[in-house]
Amino acid sequence: MTSAEPAAGRRRRASLSKPVADLLTYLVLIAGALLTLGPFALSFMTAFKSPLQFASEPSLNLPNPVTTENFTALFSGDYSFISPIAVTAQVVVVILAGQLIFSIMAAYAFAKLRFAGRDALFWLYLATLMIPQVVIVIPLYTMMVQTGLRNSFWALVLPFLFGSPYAVFLLREHFRSIPDDLIDAARIDGAGDWRILWQIVAPMSRGIIATLAIITVVTHWNNFMWPLIITTGRDWQVITVATANLQSQYNANWTLVMAATTVAMAPLLVIFTIFQRTIVNSISLTGFK
């Protein structure tokens, strides 16, 4: 009886402590969610307020009444936010196509082709991830000026068009998980490297390619420093630069600035909502049955 009583007491304490631990966990998660989502919610609410309500009421008050005058002003008159959205969309589409094509080819070469210095070349290429972007801004700017591409569409896309170390690394690690026996069987059947890549390896890697596509879209939709440096005026102004200009020129009209921020965030939220399952699935390990 004496030995059974402490064991029963430990079980009771464990059964009592588990709900407390779960409650603390949920409280921490809720606090983290509020800290993360709070600024977005505040931006969204402010976008639907009138300047008078924003100036006269606390920021946390709900819009009353809800107004869309900020969005109407944003897409008309002097602001003309349609052009930056169109330019950004074109830039992202071209960069996405280039990143996927060239990164897939480079990753396949580093993962499945055998040539002298392959691993050394890969790690040297990957080491460029350690170089801060600000270090290469001046050489890139000089190159664009000397070639006459400054303040043009190609100045926005060329530095990012031919793949990236992160994309090549991500795809290479996934391609290495594809069994060499499958590649060798395709070679025996007469398939060349191009056919193996685009008809076998790429279709089997749809999940990781989709994830890379989403990362690329988000990264270059939010790109700010390079477009700010390489372009002037409104002709090739991207959405991040246009939003920053609103903030600097119309800093008293925060409802307009928050409307622009909401418009800039909306496509990314839609993309994540649609493809969140793809992102999660690409993280899980896959194999052959």
Side-chain angles (χ1 to χ4, degrees):
M1 294 295 292
T2 56
S3 60
E5 288 178 358
R10 285 194 297 270
R11 285 195 296 270
R12 284 195 299 270
R13 286 194 297 271
S15 63
L16 291 175
S17 61
K18 188 176 184 305
V20 176
D22 292 342
L23 178 61
L24 291 176
T25 301
Y26 282 113
L27 289 176
V28 171
L29 292 175
I30 291 172
L34 291 175
L35 289 174
T36 303
L37 299 176
F40 298 101
L42 183 61
S43 172
F44 185 77
M45 289 191 303
T46 305
F48 289 95
K49 292 180 179 180
S50 65
L52 178 60
Q53 183 187 359
F54 178 77
S56 60
E57 298 181 5
S59 300
L60 296 180
N61 283 11
L62 294 175
N64 185 25
V66 175
T67 178
T68 59
E69 65 181 29
N70 299 304
F71 296 95
T72 303
L74 195 64
F75 289 99
S76 62
D78 297 333
Y79 307 116
S80 185
F81 221 63
I82 297 177
S83 178
I85 294 176
V87 171
T88 306
Q90 295 175 56
V91 169
V92 168
V93 168
V94 173
I95 291 177
L96 175 62
Q99 285 268 347
L100 291 183
I101 293 173
F102 291 104
S103 296
I104 289 173
M105 291 192 296
Y108 176 77
F110 284 128
K112 295 302 181 183
L113 300 185
R114 297 176 179 87
F115 54 90
R118 181 189 68 176
D119 293 339
L121 181 61
F122 170 74
W123 290 112
L124 180 63
Y125 179 57
L126 190 64
T128 59
L129 281 173
M130 302 175 64
I131 302 175
Q133 187 180 5
V134 294
V135 175
I136 63 174
V137 164
I138 295 178
L140 275 177
Y141 181 84
T142 304
M143 291 170 58
M144 295 301 164
V145 171
Q146 291 177 350
T147 54
L149 294 177
R150 182 181 176 274
N151 199 29
S152 67
F153 176 79
W154 292 109
L156 291 170
V157 301
L158 278 178
F160 313 101
L161 190 63
F162 301 102
S164 69
Y166 173 77
V168 173
F169 171 75
L170 186 68
L171 292 171
R172 173 186 178 266
E173 294 307 304
H174 182 79
F175 290 170
R176 290 180 64 190
S177 67
I178 298 176
D180 290 334
D181 293 342
L182 185 64
I183 307 297
D184 294 337
R187 293 188 192 280
I188 293 174
D189 290 338
D193 286 317
W194 286 104
R195 185 176 180 184
I196 291 172
L197 173 59
W198 297 112
Q199 295 187 13
I200 297 176
V201 175
M204 294 178 62
S205 308
R206 284 192 296 265
I208 197 68
I209 292 174
T211 301
L212 177 61
I214 295 170
I215 294 173
T216 302
V217 169
V218 172
T219 299
H220 292 284
W221 185 272
N222 291 329
N223 194 7
F224 174 72
M225 185 174 69
W226 178 247
L228 177 66
I229 293 171
I230 202 62
T231 61
T232 56
R234 294 188 176 184
D235 290 342
W236 297 108
Q237 193 175 70
V238 298
I239 194 168
T240 51
V241 177
T243 304
N245 286 344
L246 281 178
Q247 184 175 350
S248 60
Q249 295 175 14
Y250 307 99
N251 55 2
N253 193 350
W254 283 106
T255 56
L256 183 67
V257 174
M258 291 299 103
T261 304
T262 302
V263 170
M265 291 189 303
L268 303 183
L269 294 176
V270 172
I271 290 174
F272 178 78
T273 302
I274 295 174
F275 295 102
Q276 60 177 325
R277 187 178 297 275
T278 301
I279 298 174
V280 174
N281 290 340
S282 68
I283 299 173
S284 62
L285 298 176
T286 58
F288 291 89
K289 296 182 179 179

